[in-house]
């Protein structure tokens, strides 16, 4: 087992990883930017190294600074958390070259899943259901016209280097194709330095349901059931839950099997997530594979009673997994509490938390690095905390979440707590009647 792990991240996920390391008897090294010098991960880790100024590019994204911190402190592994360098092929490779175990995917797995057209081709070859569309990248505008006619409008064009909606264009009719093609390519080139575009049939009003998977160094793989992440806004998830209110035992078996096929197709080692779009007929299609721990891993932990960070560390250290699948025994919901003003277009609201009281009690979990007197810096994402509840049924989980949100006091900044309170009272949400389009019409 590792003796010392460096955590190449900040905020609640850095704290989350430190906690598991402590429980496993593993020493921890926090790295921090000058903006985070007073943060909890810095205080709770055994050692802390400043890796640069507030701007991420010069601290949390600086590979030389992080490798230097690992070498100085003699860390034998690096946990990248989510975001930052967690899905960076080069970083995974450089860790390898320095004899430091990267607790995440291998460089070639990151590369293959990071390029969306390559990922899709890999999944088609493995027999994972994919959305009908172009075979690989579109050659030119003429090819785009030809493919769209075959696929049948509406179609969607996606940047192969994308994800998170950048470089994505929905095209409803032939007249609009040329403009969409030009702007998608331009946006993709500017954002990713890669203007490769592929095309798919546009699925209207889908649900976003993802399957948690795990694979080990011996070729064993399993799934740990689903999370429903349909409640999102501009590709930012707001609420996640498991089980999905749209799920059936039969669909879970089929999606779980498909996710395991995806895992085995890339000899995946570690924990990951296979994202699917699910249409109203319960047809499901591979969308992306995330080769990292995700923000919403918590709800899976609560319903299967299992520490996913511990599992990541054990797999990275060469432990085998059993290969049996895990099924939800409870119902869990997570609300992301952001320093944003929900009544002002979710505008970021960083600054000093003047007063703070956290919710608690049976079935309530709060993953956060915030406290009274903490200042949310403006340099990073605006998530303050993840409020997670677990209960026997979905109805009870919603009531528990309402109760926990009512207890939660954060003063000095605007937060998304009032939004979540309205959501928990919404009839469509309460009935499990929602798709990825929900936020376009929800009035709160
Ligand atoms: C789609 C789609 C409909 N049809 N693909 C959004 C982000 C990127 N990962 C893929 N996305 C979508 N791909 C086809 N063929 C709709 C979306 C989509 C979406 C997907 C999941 C969660 C929220 C979403 C919001 C808007 C669009």
């Amino acid at each position: 087992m590792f003796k010392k792990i460096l955590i190449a991240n900040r905020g609640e996920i850095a704290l989350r990883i430190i906690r598991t390391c402590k429980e496993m008897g593993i020493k921890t090294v926090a790295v921090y930017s000058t903006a985070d010098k007073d943060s909890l991960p810095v205080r709770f880790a055994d050692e802390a190294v400043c890796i640069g100024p507030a701007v991420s590019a010069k601290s949390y994204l600086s590979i030389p600074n992080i490798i230097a911190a690992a070498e100085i402190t003699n860390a034998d592994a690096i946990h990248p958390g989510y975001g930052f360098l967690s899905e960076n092929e080069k970083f995974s490779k450089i860790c390898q070259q320095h004899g430091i175990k990267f607790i995440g995917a291998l460089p070639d797995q990151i590369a293959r899943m990071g390029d969306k057209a390559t990922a899709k081709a890999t999944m088609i070859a493995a027999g994972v259901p994919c959305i009908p569309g172009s075979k690989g990248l579109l050659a030119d505008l003429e090819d785009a016209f030809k493919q769209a006619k075959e696929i049948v409008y509406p179609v969607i064009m996606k940047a192969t280097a994308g994800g998170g909606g950048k470089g994505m264009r929905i095209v409803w009719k032939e007249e609009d194709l040329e403009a969409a093609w030009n702007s998608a390519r331009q946006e993709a080139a500017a954002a990713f330095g890669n203007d490769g575009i592929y095309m798919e049939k546009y699925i209207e009003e889908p649900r976003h349901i993802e399957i948690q998977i795990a694979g080990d160094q011996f070729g064993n793989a399993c799934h740990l059931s689903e999370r429903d992440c349909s409640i999102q806004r501009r590709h930012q998830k707001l609420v996640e839950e498991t089980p999905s209110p749209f799920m059936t035992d039969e669909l879970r078996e089929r999606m779980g099997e498909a996710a395991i096929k995806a895992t085995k197709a890339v000899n995946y080692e570690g924990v990951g997530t296979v994202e699917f779009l699910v249409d109203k007929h319960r047809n499901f299609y591979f969308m992306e594979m995330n080769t990292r721990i995700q923000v919403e891993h918590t709800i899976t932990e609560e319903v299967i009673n299992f520490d996913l960070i511990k599992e990541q560390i054990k797999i990275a250290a060469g432990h085998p997994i059993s290969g049996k699948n895990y099924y939800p025994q409870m119902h869990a919901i997570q609300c992301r509490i952001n320093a944003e003003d929900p009544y002002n277009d979710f505008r970021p609201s960083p600054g000093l938390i003047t007063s703070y009281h956290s919710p608690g009690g049976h079935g309530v979990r709060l993953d956060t690095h915030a406290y009274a007197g903490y200042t949310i810096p403006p340099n990073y994402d605006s998530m303050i905390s993840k409020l997670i509840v677990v209960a026997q049924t979905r109805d009870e989980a919603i009531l528990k979440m309402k109760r926990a949100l009512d207890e939660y006091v954060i003063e000095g900044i605007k937060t998304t707590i009032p939004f979540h309170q309205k959501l928990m009272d919404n009839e469509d949400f309460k009935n499990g009647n929602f798709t990825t389009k929900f936020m376009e019409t929800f009035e709160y």
Side-chain angles (χ1 to χ4, degrees), residues 131-132 156 158 163-165 168 170 200-204 206-208 229-230 232 235 275-277 287-288 436-437 440:
I131 303 167
I156 185 168
K158 296 182 178 181
M168 209 170 81
I170 301 158
E200 290 178 341
K201 175 75 184 167
Y202 178 60
I203 312 286
E204 292 177 60
R207 284 169 172 80
H208 172 142
C229 307
S230 300
Q232 54 76 46
H235 307 293
E275 296 185 349
F276 294 97
L277 285 182
M287 193 163 48
E288 290 178 18
T436 58
K437 294 257 192 248
E440 292 177 19

PDB file of all heavy atoms in Angstrom, residues 131-132 156 158 163-165 168 170 200-204 206-208 229-230 232 235 275-277 287-288 436-437 440, ligand 1:
ATOM      1  N   ILE A 131     -25.483   6.307 -30.388  1.00  0.00           N
ATOM      2  CA  ILE A 131     -26.471   7.055 -31.149  1.00  0.00           C
ATOM      3  C   ILE A 131     -26.135   6.960 -32.636  1.00  0.00           C
ATOM      4  O   ILE A 131     -24.973   7.143 -33.011  1.00  0.00           O
ATOM      5  CB  ILE A 131     -26.506   8.529 -30.686  1.00  0.00           C
ATOM      6  CG1 ILE A 131     -26.808   8.585 -29.179  1.00  0.00           C
ATOM      7  CG2 ILE A 131     -27.540   9.337 -31.486  1.00  0.00           C
ATOM      8  CD1 ILE A 131     -26.561   9.938 -28.541  1.00  0.00           C
ATOM      9  N   PRO A 132     -27.124   6.649 -33.505  1.00  0.00           N
ATOM     10  CA  PRO A 132     -26.853   6.588 -34.939  1.00  0.00           C
ATOM     11  C   PRO A 132     -26.238   7.904 -35.413  1.00  0.00           C
ATOM     12  O   PRO A 132     -26.680   8.977 -34.996  1.00  0.00           O
ATOM     13  CB  PRO A 132     -28.238   6.388 -35.563  1.00  0.00           C
ATOM     14  CG  PRO A 132     -29.107   5.876 -34.461  1.00  0.00           C
ATOM     15  CD  PRO A 132     -28.537   6.397 -33.186  1.00  0.00           C
ATOM     16  N   ILE A 156     -27.306  16.548 -34.561  1.00  0.00           N
ATOM     17  CA  ILE A 156     -26.453  17.341 -33.673  1.00  0.00           C
ATOM     18  C   ILE A 156     -25.008  17.159 -34.116  1.00  0.00           C
ATOM     19  O   ILE A 156     -24.605  16.049 -34.458  1.00  0.00           O
ATOM     20  CB  ILE A 156     -26.687  16.947 -32.193  1.00  0.00           C
ATOM     21  CG1 ILE A 156     -25.897  17.843 -31.225  1.00  0.00           C
ATOM     22  CG2 ILE A 156     -26.378  15.482 -31.930  1.00  0.00           C
ATOM     23  CD1 ILE A 156     -26.328  17.689 -29.765  1.00  0.00           C
ATOM     24  N   LYS A 158     -21.069  17.585 -32.974  1.00  0.00           N
ATOM     25  CA  LYS A 158     -20.300  17.654 -31.728  1.00  0.00           C
ATOM     26  C   LYS A 158     -18.809  17.722 -32.016  1.00  0.00           C
ATOM     27  O   LYS A 158     -18.325  17.038 -32.915  1.00  0.00           O
ATOM     28  CB  LYS A 158     -20.557  16.401 -30.877  1.00  0.00           C
ATOM     29  CG  LYS A 158     -21.982  16.233 -30.391  1.00  0.00           C
ATOM     30  CD  LYS A 158     -22.110  14.980 -29.522  1.00  0.00           C
ATOM     31  CE  LYS A 158     -23.527  14.843 -28.990  1.00  0.00           C
ATOM     32  NZ  LYS A 158     -23.680  13.649 -28.129  1.00  0.00           N
ATOM     33  N   GLY A 163     -17.145  17.873 -25.095  1.00  0.00           N
ATOM     34  CA  GLY A 163     -17.664  17.454 -23.803  1.00  0.00           C
ATOM     35  C   GLY A 163     -18.145  18.730 -23.142  1.00  0.00           C
ATOM     36  O   GLY A 163     -17.598  19.803 -23.402  1.00  0.00           O
ATOM     37  N   GLY A 164     -19.186  18.610 -22.342  1.00  0.00           N
ATOM     38  CA  GLY A 164     -19.689  19.804 -21.683  1.00  0.00           C
ATOM     39  C   GLY A 164     -20.303  20.819 -22.629  1.00  0.00           C
ATOM     40  O   GLY A 164     -20.433  21.977 -22.287  1.00  0.00           O
ATOM     41  N   GLY A 165     -20.671  20.386 -23.825  1.00  0.00           N
ATOM     42  CA  GLY A 165     -21.487  21.223 -24.698  1.00  0.00           C
ATOM     43  C   GLY A 165     -20.743  22.179 -25.610  1.00  0.00           C
ATOM     44  O   GLY A 165     -21.344  22.748 -26.520  1.00  0.00           O
ATOM     45  N   MET A 168     -20.897  22.296 -29.773  1.00  0.00           N
ATOM     46  CA  MET A 168     -22.048  21.435 -30.064  1.00  0.00           C
ATOM     47  C   MET A 168     -23.139  22.274 -30.729  1.00  0.00           C
ATOM     48  O   MET A 168     -23.413  23.379 -30.278  1.00  0.00           O
ATOM     49  CB  MET A 168     -22.555  20.875 -28.736  1.00  0.00           C
ATOM     50  CG  MET A 168     -23.217  19.539 -28.812  1.00  0.00           C
ATOM     51  SD  MET A 168     -23.510  18.882 -27.150  1.00  0.00           S
ATOM     52  CE  MET A 168     -24.998  19.745 -26.709  1.00  0.00           C
ATOM     53  N   ILE A 170     -27.161  21.934 -32.547  1.00  0.00           N
ATOM     54  CA  ILE A 170     -28.329  21.186 -32.984  1.00  0.00           C
ATOM     55  C   ILE A 170     -28.784  21.784 -34.313  1.00  0.00           C
ATOM     56  O   ILE A 170     -28.851  23.009 -34.443  1.00  0.00           O
ATOM     57  CB  ILE A 170     -29.469  21.280 -31.948  1.00  0.00           C
ATOM     58  CG1 ILE A 170     -28.995  20.738 -30.593  1.00  0.00           C
ATOM     59  CG2 ILE A 170     -30.720  20.543 -32.427  1.00  0.00           C
ATOM     60  CD1 ILE A 170     -29.802  21.234 -29.412  1.00  0.00           C
ATOM     61  N   GLU A 200     -24.568  13.238 -35.114  1.00  0.00           N
ATOM     62  CA  GLU A 200     -25.471  12.204 -34.596  1.00  0.00           C
ATOM     63  C   GLU A 200     -26.922  12.635 -34.803  1.00  0.00           C
ATOM     64  O   GLU A 200     -27.214  13.825 -34.931  1.00  0.00           O
ATOM     65  CB  GLU A 200     -25.285  12.030 -33.072  1.00  0.00           C
ATOM     66  CG  GLU A 200     -23.978  11.410 -32.680  1.00  0.00           C
ATOM     67  CD  GLU A 200     -23.801  11.297 -31.173  1.00  0.00           C
ATOM     68  OE1 GLU A 200     -24.513  12.015 -30.425  1.00  0.00           O
ATOM     69  OE2 GLU A 200     -22.958  10.509 -30.754  1.00  0.00           O
ATOM     70  N   LYS A 201     -27.825  11.668 -34.771  1.00  0.00           N
ATOM     71  CA  LYS A 201     -29.249  11.966 -34.645  1.00  0.00           C
ATOM     72  C   LYS A 201     -29.444  12.721 -33.327  1.00  0.00           C
ATOM     73  O   LYS A 201     -28.845  12.358 -32.310  1.00  0.00           O
ATOM     74  CB  LYS A 201     -30.039  10.647 -34.624  1.00  0.00           C
ATOM     75  CG  LYS A 201     -31.528  10.801 -34.378  1.00  0.00           C
ATOM     76  CD  LYS A 201     -32.241  11.322 -35.607  1.00  0.00           C
ATOM     77  CE  LYS A 201     -33.727  11.566 -35.334  1.00  0.00           C
ATOM     78  NZ  LYS A 201     -34.336  12.367 -36.440  1.00  0.00           N
ATOM     79  N   TYR A 202     -30.235  13.793 -33.341  1.00  0.00           N
ATOM     80  CA  TYR A 202     -30.500  14.538 -32.108  1.00  0.00           C
ATOM     81  C   TYR A 202     -31.612  13.840 -31.322  1.00  0.00           C
ATOM     82  O   TYR A 202     -32.709  13.635 -31.846  1.00  0.00           O
ATOM     83  CB  TYR A 202     -30.891  15.984 -32.431  1.00  0.00           C
ATOM     84  CG  TYR A 202     -31.228  16.797 -31.204  1.00  0.00           C
ATOM     85  CD1 TYR A 202     -30.282  16.976 -30.200  1.00  0.00           C
ATOM     86  CD2 TYR A 202     -32.487  17.368 -31.042  1.00  0.00           C
ATOM     87  CE1 TYR A 202     -30.589  17.715 -29.062  1.00  0.00           C
ATOM     88  CE2 TYR A 202     -32.796  18.114 -29.906  1.00  0.00           C
ATOM     89  CZ  TYR A 202     -31.840  18.280 -28.922  1.00  0.00           C
ATOM     90  OH  TYR A 202     -32.143  19.001 -27.801  1.00  0.00           O
ATOM     91  N   ILE A 203     -31.302  13.470 -30.092  1.00  0.00           N
ATOM     92  CA  ILE A 203     -32.288  12.839 -29.209  1.00  0.00           C
ATOM     93  C   ILE A 203     -32.989  13.943 -28.429  1.00  0.00           C
ATOM     94  O   ILE A 203     -32.352  14.657 -27.662  1.00  0.00           O
ATOM     95  CB  ILE A 203     -31.619  11.866 -28.199  1.00  0.00           C
ATOM     96  CG1 ILE A 203     -30.634  10.911 -28.892  1.00  0.00           C
ATOM     97  CG2 ILE A 203     -32.669  11.113 -27.381  1.00  0.00           C
ATOM     98  CD1 ILE A 203     -31.242   9.809 -29.696  1.00  0.00           C
ATOM     99  N   GLU A 204     -34.301  14.078 -28.612  1.00  0.00           N
ATOM    100  CA  GLU A 204     -35.031  15.148 -27.933  1.00  0.00           C
ATOM    101  C   GLU A 204     -35.441  14.720 -26.527  1.00  0.00           C
ATOM    102  O   GLU A 204     -35.839  13.584 -26.324  1.00  0.00           O
ATOM    103  CB  GLU A 204     -36.274  15.534 -28.759  1.00  0.00           C
ATOM    104  CG  GLU A 204     -35.883  16.210 -30.074  1.00  0.00           C
ATOM    105  CD  GLU A 204     -37.089  16.534 -30.941  1.00  0.00           C
ATOM    106  OE1 GLU A 204     -37.960  17.289 -30.499  1.00  0.00           O
ATOM    107  OE2 GLU A 204     -37.141  16.009 -32.067  1.00  0.00           O
ATOM    108  N   PRO A 206     -33.908  13.904 -23.620  1.00  0.00           N
ATOM    109  CA  PRO A 206     -33.372  12.679 -23.009  1.00  0.00           C
ATOM    110  C   PRO A 206     -33.168  12.839 -21.509  1.00  0.00           C
ATOM    111  O   PRO A 206     -33.207  13.958 -20.987  1.00  0.00           O
ATOM    112  CB  PRO A 206     -32.010  12.532 -23.695  1.00  0.00           C
ATOM    113  CG  PRO A 206     -31.564  13.953 -23.912  1.00  0.00           C
ATOM    114  CD  PRO A 206     -32.833  14.744 -24.172  1.00  0.00           C
ATOM    115  N   ARG A 207     -32.963  11.730 -20.835  1.00  0.00           N
ATOM    116  CA  ARG A 207     -32.444  11.768 -19.476  1.00  0.00           C
ATOM    117  C   ARG A 207     -30.950  11.479 -19.516  1.00  0.00           C
ATOM    118  O   ARG A 207     -30.483  10.763 -20.394  1.00  0.00           O
ATOM    119  CB  ARG A 207     -33.165  10.730 -18.611  1.00  0.00           C
ATOM    120  CG  ARG A 207     -34.570  11.160 -18.215  1.00  0.00           C
ATOM    121  CD  ARG A 207     -35.346  10.022 -17.600  1.00  0.00           C
ATOM    122  NE  ARG A 207     -36.621  10.462 -17.061  1.00  0.00           N
ATOM    123  CZ  ARG A 207     -37.715  10.675 -17.781  1.00  0.00           C
ATOM    124  NH1 ARG A 207     -37.700  10.487 -19.103  1.00  0.00           N
ATOM    125  NH2 ARG A 207     -38.837  11.065 -17.210  1.00  0.00           N
ATOM    126  N   HIS A 208     -30.228  12.083 -18.585  1.00  0.00           N
ATOM    127  CA  HIS A 208     -28.798  11.781 -18.439  1.00  0.00           C
ATOM    128  C   HIS A 208     -28.669  10.811 -17.281  1.00  0.00           C
ATOM    129  O   HIS A 208     -28.864  11.188 -16.131  1.00  0.00           O
ATOM    130  CB  HIS A 208     -28.019  13.072 -18.163  1.00  0.00           C
ATOM    131  CG  HIS A 208     -26.564  12.848 -17.811  1.00  0.00           C
ATOM    132  ND1 HIS A 208     -25.557  13.678 -18.240  1.00  0.00           N
ATOM    133  CD2 HIS A 208     -25.954  11.888 -17.078  1.00  0.00           C
ATOM    134  CE1 HIS A 208     -24.404  13.229 -17.782  1.00  0.00           C
ATOM    135  NE2 HIS A 208     -24.617  12.155 -17.064  1.00  0.00           N
ATOM    136  N   CYS A 229     -28.570  12.339 -13.514  1.00  0.00           N
ATOM    137  CA  CYS A 229     -28.005  13.696 -13.454  1.00  0.00           C
ATOM    138  C   CYS A 229     -28.738  14.625 -14.413  1.00  0.00           C
ATOM    139  O   CYS A 229     -28.150  15.559 -14.968  1.00  0.00           O
ATOM    140  CB  CYS A 229     -26.523  13.656 -13.802  1.00  0.00           C
ATOM    141  SG  CYS A 229     -25.580  12.496 -12.829  1.00  0.00           S
ATOM    142  N   SER A 230     -30.018  14.364 -14.633  1.00  0.00           N
ATOM    143  CA  SER A 230     -30.770  15.142 -15.624  1.00  0.00           C
ATOM    144  C   SER A 230     -31.004  16.585 -15.200  1.00  0.00           C
ATOM    145  O   SER A 230     -31.201  17.446 -16.051  1.00  0.00           O
ATOM    146  CB  SER A 230     -32.117  14.456 -15.898  1.00  0.00           C
ATOM    147  OG  SER A 230     -31.900  13.143 -16.395  1.00  0.00           O
ATOM    148  N   GLN A 232     -29.794  19.669 -14.650  1.00  0.00           N
ATOM    149  CA  GLN A 232     -28.581  20.449 -14.878  1.00  0.00           C
ATOM    150  C   GLN A 232     -28.925  21.690 -15.685  1.00  0.00           C
ATOM    151  O   GLN A 232     -29.987  21.802 -16.273  1.00  0.00           O
ATOM    152  CB  GLN A 232     -27.517  19.595 -15.557  1.00  0.00           C
ATOM    153  CG  GLN A 232     -27.962  18.905 -16.854  1.00  0.00           C
ATOM    154  CD  GLN A 232     -28.030  19.826 -18.029  1.00  0.00           C
ATOM    155  OE1 GLN A 232     -27.116  20.595 -18.251  1.00  0.00           O
ATOM    156  NE2 GLN A 232     -29.108  19.756 -18.774  1.00  0.00           N
ATOM    157  N   HIS A 235     -25.007  22.643 -18.809  1.00  0.00           N
ATOM    158  CA  HIS A 235     -24.062  21.547 -18.626  1.00  0.00           C
ATOM    159  C   HIS A 235     -23.424  21.521 -17.256  1.00  0.00           C
ATOM    160  O   HIS A 235     -22.439  20.817 -17.041  1.00  0.00           O
ATOM    161  CB  HIS A 235     -23.021  21.533 -19.751  1.00  0.00           C
ATOM    162  CG  HIS A 235     -23.654  21.525 -21.116  1.00  0.00           C
ATOM    163  ND1 HIS A 235     -24.390  20.448 -21.582  1.00  0.00           N
ATOM    164  CD2 HIS A 235     -23.734  22.466 -22.077  1.00  0.00           C
ATOM    165  CE1 HIS A 235     -24.870  20.741 -22.775  1.00  0.00           C
ATOM    166  NE2 HIS A 235     -24.496  21.958 -23.103  1.00  0.00           N
ATOM    167  N   GLU A 275     -21.366   7.477 -19.205  1.00  0.00           N
ATOM    168  CA  GLU A 275     -22.557   8.326 -19.322  1.00  0.00           C
ATOM    169  C   GLU A 275     -23.425   7.855 -20.481  1.00  0.00           C
ATOM    170  O   GLU A 275     -22.910   7.593 -21.570  1.00  0.00           O
ATOM    171  CB  GLU A 275     -22.164   9.777 -19.617  1.00  0.00           C
ATOM    172  CG  GLU A 275     -21.380  10.461 -18.532  1.00  0.00           C
ATOM    173  CD  GLU A 275     -21.125  11.941 -18.863  1.00  0.00           C
ATOM    174  OE1 GLU A 275     -21.372  12.367 -20.014  1.00  0.00           O
ATOM    175  OE2 GLU A 275     -20.680  12.653 -17.965  1.00  0.00           O
ATOM    176  N   PHE A 276     -24.725   7.813 -20.226  1.00  0.00           N
ATOM    177  CA  PHE A 276     -25.670   7.450 -21.279  1.00  0.00           C
ATOM    178  C   PHE A 276     -26.761   8.509 -21.408  1.00  0.00           C
ATOM    179  O   PHE A 276     -27.111   9.176 -20.430  1.00  0.00           O
ATOM    180  CB  PHE A 276     -26.360   6.120 -20.945  1.00  0.00           C
ATOM    181  CG  PHE A 276     -25.451   4.924 -20.940  1.00  0.00           C
ATOM    182  CD1 PHE A 276     -24.919   4.441 -19.749  1.00  0.00           C
ATOM    183  CD2 PHE A 276     -25.137   4.259 -22.121  1.00  0.00           C
ATOM    184  CE1 PHE A 276     -24.082   3.320 -19.738  1.00  0.00           C
ATOM    185  CE2 PHE A 276     -24.304   3.142 -22.124  1.00  0.00           C
ATOM    186  CZ  PHE A 276     -23.779   2.667 -20.922  1.00  0.00           C
ATOM    187  N   LEU A 277     -27.273   8.653 -22.622  1.00  0.00           N
ATOM    188  CA  LEU A 277     -28.542   9.350 -22.825  1.00  0.00           C
ATOM    189  C   LEU A 277     -29.619   8.276 -22.891  1.00  0.00           C
ATOM    190  O   LEU A 277     -29.418   7.235 -23.516  1.00  0.00           O
ATOM    191  CB  LEU A 277     -28.539  10.135 -24.149  1.00  0.00           C
ATOM    192  CG  LEU A 277     -27.747  11.435 -24.199  1.00  0.00           C
ATOM    193  CD1 LEU A 277     -27.923  12.085 -25.570  1.00  0.00           C
ATOM    194  CD2 LEU A 277     -28.183  12.385 -23.101  1.00  0.00           C
ATOM    195  N   MET A 287     -22.692   7.974 -24.288  1.00  0.00           N
ATOM    196  CA  MET A 287     -22.372   9.365 -24.596  1.00  0.00           C
ATOM    197  C   MET A 287     -20.891   9.627 -24.387  1.00  0.00           C
ATOM    198  O   MET A 287     -20.196  10.043 -25.299  1.00  0.00           O
ATOM    199  CB  MET A 287     -23.243  10.287 -23.735  1.00  0.00           C
ATOM    200  CG  MET A 287     -23.231  11.720 -24.166  1.00  0.00           C
ATOM    201  SD  MET A 287     -24.593  12.685 -23.469  1.00  0.00           S
ATOM    202  CE  MET A 287     -24.545  12.257 -21.756  1.00  0.00           C
ATOM    203  N   GLU A 288     -20.397   9.400 -23.178  1.00  0.00           N
ATOM    204  CA  GLU A 288     -18.982   9.642 -22.860  1.00  0.00           C
ATOM    205  C   GLU A 288     -18.572   8.707 -21.742  1.00  0.00           C
ATOM    206  O   GLU A 288     -19.425   8.232 -20.989  1.00  0.00           O
ATOM    207  CB  GLU A 288     -18.779  11.086 -22.358  1.00  0.00           C
ATOM    208  CG  GLU A 288     -18.946  12.137 -23.418  1.00  0.00           C
ATOM    209  CD  GLU A 288     -18.796  13.560 -22.877  1.00  0.00           C
ATOM    210  OE1 GLU A 288     -18.248  13.741 -21.782  1.00  0.00           O
ATOM    211  OE2 GLU A 288     -19.254  14.480 -23.576  1.00  0.00           O
ATOM    212  N   THR A 436     -33.378  16.345 -19.266  1.00  0.00           N
ATOM    213  CA  THR A 436     -32.310  17.365 -19.276  1.00  0.00           C
ATOM    214  C   THR A 436     -32.848  18.752 -19.649  1.00  0.00           C
ATOM    215  O   THR A 436     -32.143  19.744 -19.516  1.00  0.00           O
ATOM    216  CB  THR A 436     -31.184  16.985 -20.262  1.00  0.00           C
ATOM    217  OG1 THR A 436     -31.758  16.838 -21.557  1.00  0.00           O
ATOM    218  CG2 THR A 436     -30.529  15.672 -19.869  1.00  0.00           C
ATOM    219  N   LYS A 437     -34.113  18.795 -20.117  1.00  0.00           N
ATOM    220  CA  LYS A 437     -34.727  20.075 -20.482  1.00  0.00           C
ATOM    221  C   LYS A 437     -35.413  20.757 -19.286  1.00  0.00           C
ATOM    222  O   LYS A 437     -35.930  21.877 -19.415  1.00  0.00           O
ATOM    223  CB  LYS A 437     -35.793  19.855 -21.575  1.00  0.00           C
ATOM    224  CG  LYS A 437     -35.240  19.397 -22.892  1.00  0.00           C
ATOM    225  CD  LYS A 437     -35.202  20.555 -23.869  1.00  0.00           C
ATOM    226  CE  LYS A 437     -34.928  20.079 -25.268  1.00  0.00           C
ATOM    227  NZ  LYS A 437     -33.630  20.512 -25.751  1.00  0.00           N
ATOM    228  N   GLU A 440     -34.998  24.447 -18.352  1.00  0.00           N
ATOM    229  CA  GLU A 440     -35.390  25.458 -19.337  1.00  0.00           C
ATOM    230  C   GLU A 440     -36.761  26.050 -19.021  1.00  0.00           C
ATOM    231  O   GLU A 440     -37.078  27.165 -19.457  1.00  0.00           O
ATOM    232  CB  GLU A 440     -35.377  24.854 -20.758  1.00  0.00           C
ATOM    233  CG  GLU A 440     -33.968  24.521 -21.217  1.00  0.00           C
ATOM    234  CD  GLU A 440     -33.944  23.847 -22.587  1.00  0.00           C
ATOM    235  OE1 GLU A 440     -34.931  23.945 -23.350  1.00  0.00           O
ATOM    236  OE2 GLU A 440     -32.904  23.212 -22.882  1.00  0.00           O
TER     237      GLU A 440
HETATM  238  C1  LIG B   1     -26.745  14.837 -27.232  1.00  0.00           C
HETATM  239  C2  LIG B   1     -28.043  15.304 -26.975  1.00  0.00           C
HETATM  240  C3  LIG B   1     -29.057  14.882 -27.811  1.00  0.00           C
HETATM  241  N1  LIG B   1     -28.794  14.064 -28.844  1.00  0.00           N
HETATM  242  N2  LIG B   1     -26.544  14.010 -28.281  1.00  0.00           N
HETATM  243  C4  LIG B   1     -24.496  17.487 -23.917  1.00  0.00           C
HETATM  244  C5  LIG B   1     -23.082  17.449 -23.472  1.00  0.00           C
HETATM  245  C6  LIG B   1     -22.413  16.404 -24.260  1.00  0.00           C
HETATM  246  N3  LIG B   1     -21.683  15.532 -23.407  1.00  0.00           N
HETATM  247  C7  LIG B   1     -23.491  15.670 -24.976  1.00  0.00           C
HETATM  248  N4  LIG B   1     -24.717  16.391 -24.775  1.00  0.00           N
HETATM  249  C8  LIG B   1     -25.862  16.052 -25.449  1.00  0.00           C
HETATM  250  N5  LIG B   1     -25.696  15.199 -26.485  1.00  0.00           N
HETATM  251  C9  LIG B   1     -27.558  13.647 -29.056  1.00  0.00           C
HETATM  252  N6  LIG B   1     -27.309  12.853 -30.102  1.00  0.00           N
HETATM  253  C10 LIG B   1     -28.233  16.156 -25.891  1.00  0.00           C
HETATM  254  C11 LIG B   1     -27.140  16.553 -25.128  1.00  0.00           C
HETATM  255  C12 LIG B   1     -27.443  17.443 -24.051  1.00  0.00           C
HETATM  256  C13 LIG B   1     -27.340  17.032 -22.712  1.00  0.00           C
HETATM  257  C14 LIG B   1     -26.901  15.767 -22.347  1.00  0.00           C
HETATM  258  C15 LIG B   1     -26.801  15.378 -21.043  1.00  0.00           C
HETATM  259  C16 LIG B   1     -27.141  16.284 -20.037  1.00  0.00           C
HETATM  260  C17 LIG B   1     -27.576  17.528 -20.360  1.00  0.00           C
HETATM  261  C18 LIG B   1     -27.670  17.930 -21.696  1.00  0.00           C
HETATM  262  C19 LIG B   1     -28.117  19.211 -22.013  1.00  0.00           C
HETATM  263  C20 LIG B   1     -28.196  19.603 -23.307  1.00  0.00           C
HETATM  264  C21 LIG B   1     -27.858  18.723 -24.333  1.00  0.00           C
END
